[in-house]
Amino acid sequence: MGRPPRHDRDRLLDAAVDLACEDGPAAVTVAAVARAAGAPSGSVYHRFPSAAALLAALWLRTLERFQDGFVAAASGEPAEEAVAAAARHVVAWSRAHPREAQVLFYGPRAFGRSSWPAAEADRFDTGNRRVRTALTGLAARLGRPDEVDRIVLATVDVPYGLVGRHLRAGTPIPASAEDLVADAAAALLQSRRNSDPQTAPQP
């Protein structure tokens, strides 16, 4: 059996993550990744045929790692607990993977989304559809198919806002953050039920 390649994709992408976190997405170039990984530029080009392909691979690996756990959480049962679990996942994953969370915080445009190869662009769209399908299904399981935006607010926007505040400030995400976003998610669901004449308490 031959030896594994010294400069494999994950090692090169780990170096790219470090560069993005330390100096921003513009710092992620083929030459910079090669220097950071201690690899010849040819090794980088062997695995990523262009700078756009490198940036796409960096973003997609990070995004898909996050999305796998998020979709699993949002697909759980019972549905009410899945809302809290999805919100908690955003916080817990970001705390466990702070450098990758910083990559996601920059957003795909910062990594040249408009110049990605077609296959990578399709992967990006497929991943986003997978998340949307999970959240649409969650709303349906809650009996609230017309409230997908509320579910997105509870499971994505609120926890992402909390995480983003700490990423911008460079401060650790507090241990209480998962409970905070779960409470906020529950309050968003409950506030809509209380405003529904069919479910609101009667005098």
Side-chain angles (χ1 to χ4, degrees):
M1 181 181 295
R3 291 184 301 173
R6 180 182 172 193
H7 306 294
D8 63 16
R9 284 177 62 91
D10 280 332
R11 177 173 175 173
L12 295 173
L13 291 176
D14 289 344
V17 168
D18 290 342
L19 288 167
C21 290
E22 291 164 10
D23 298 309
V28 183
T29 65
V30 170
V33 169
R35 284 195 301 271
S41 294
S43 292
V44 182
Y45 279 118
H46 178 68
R47 290 159 180 81
F48 309 103
S50 66
L54 170 63
L55 291 171
L58 166 59
W59 175 266
L60 289 169
R61 186 187 73 161
T62 307
L63 183 68
E64 289 166 355
R65 286 177 171 179
F66 168 78
Q67 287 178 338
D68 285 345
F70 182 85
V71 169
S75 302
E77 293 290 353
E80 289 79 4
E81 292 182 11
V83 174
R88 285 177 176 275
H89 174 76
V90 175
V91 175
W93 187 90
S94 298
R95 183 189 292 109
H97 308 281
R99 299 177 82 77
E100 290 184 302
Q102 183 66 58
V103 168
L104 293 185
F105 186 69
Y106 280 117
R109 291 179 62 185
F111 292 92
R113 165 68 181 84
S114 62
S115 300
W116 290 356
E120 282 73 12
D122 287 344
R123 272 178 62 191
F124 175 75
D125 292 339
T126 296
N128 285 342
R129 284 195 299 270
R130 182 170 66 130
V131 170
R132 186 71 180 181
T133 297
L135 294 177
T136 300
L138 178 54
R141 298 200 317 276
L142 288 164
R144 306 164 80 157
D146 59 336
E147 294 188 61
V148 175
D149 283 347
R150 182 177 290 269
I151 305 306
V152 173
L153 179 65
T155 61
V156 178
D157 297 338
V158 170
Y160 187 72
L162 185 152
V163 166
R165 174 160 54 84
H166 288 285
L167 290 176
R168 285 191 298 271
T171 56
I173 300 171
S176 61
E178 283 96 332
D179 288 343
L180 287 174
V181 297
D183 288 349
L188 279 165
L189 295 182
Q190 188 62 37
S191 65
R192 181 64 180 91
R193 291 200 182 279
N194 286 344
S195 66
D196 187 333
Q198 296 181 342
T199 60
Q202 298 301 311

